Amino acid sequence: MSLYEESYNAARELIQIAKLEAGDILVVGCSTSEVSGSKIGSASRPELAEEVFTGIYTATREADIYLAAQCCEHLNRALIIEKELAKALRLDIVNVVPQPKAGGSFATKAYAHFTHPVAVEHIRAEAGMDIGDTLIGMHLKDVAVPVRLSMNSIGEAHLVCARTRAKYIGGQRAQYDAELG
């Protein structure tokens, strides 16, 4: 199976399991070094990022979901998103253009393919994909729940996924809406 197919299938499965709705956000961190079997941050691979990004982006567009591409630690894990999303969420835009060795190949591809890409420092996504142990948790809503997909890697990179849910509040007398869990 190609990296495009692996990425597309993983994103599509996560979108379904997490029950993401139109307008929700999927945050993705991706180490192409790890995808190729190298140590994170050691061998950025733009050609691999193209396949992985295109697979995930295709799945998010089909589901009308926003994709937030997390940059690497050299850009403080900033995110590349569409400007319309930044405006809708009233997020502060920061001035940076990711590069393969400063931001990462995946974020660089997002910047190249989005209609009006911008960088922001924080987001609160409904679900996330961590390809290669890039630590996306800081960009998820407060209560993250692990999601086990039918696959646990993309290329050679470890794949961890999560969805979020509404917080349970109120204690033992409270009743909860099953649709929010």
Side-chain angles (χ1 to χ4, degrees):
M1 188 178 308
S2 72
L3 288 176
Y4 170 88
E5 292 169 315
E6 287 180 19
S7 303
Y8 174 82
N9 290 340
R12 192 156 175 239
E13 186 176 355
L14 176 58
I15 289 166
Q16 291 171 349
I17 291 171
K19 298 178 182 167
L20 297 182
E21 298 175 353
D24 283 348
I25 302 166
L26 173 64
V27 63
V28 176
C30 176
S31 167
T32 57
S33 299
E34 291 277 336
V35 170
S36 71
S38 299
K39 181 181 171 194
I40 193 169
S42 67
S44 195
R45 302 279 302 272
E47 71 280 6
L48 299 183
E50 183 73 33
E51 286 188 69
V52 174
F53 172 81
T54 304
I56 294 168
Y57 193 44
T58 299
T60 59
R61 289 192 340 197
E62 287 174 359
D64 200 19
I65 303 298
Y66 285 104
L67 175 59
Q70 179 182 271
C71 296
C72 73
E73 66 188 278
H74 297 99
L75 297 185
N76 298 328
R77 301 200 194 314
L79 301 134
I80 305 305
I81 62 173
E82 288 286 3
K83 186 175 186 177
E84 73 178 83
L85 179 59
K87 286 184 160 291
L89 297 177
R90 302 180 60 87
L91 300 174
D92 291 332
I93 294 171
V94 295
N95 191 355
V96 70
V97 177
Q99 303 298 310
K101 300 265 183 193
S105 290
F106 186 84
T108 301
K109 291 300 175 185
Y111 199 91
H113 288 281
F114 285 173
T115 305
H116 298 291
V118 296
V120 298
E121 291 184 287
H122 305 286
I123 206 157
R124 294 173 43 81
E126 285 80 14
M129 291 180 72
D130 187 326
I131 305 166
D133 303 319
T134 61
L135 304 175
I136 60 158
M138 64 193 282
H139 298 303
L140 294 172
K141 288 185 175 181
D142 287 344
V143 184
V145 178
V147 172
R148 304 283 184 244
L149 300 182
S150 60
M151 59 179 57
N152 59 11
S153 64
I154 292 181
E156 299 298 315
H158 183 230
L159 174 63
V160 176
C161 295
R163 65 175 178 85
T164 60
R165 65 163 174 77
K167 293 179 184 180
Y168 294 149
I169 63 168
Q172 74 185 77
R173 293 184 188 181
Q175 293 183 0
Y176 301 109
D177 182 344
E179 292 295 314
L180 293 177

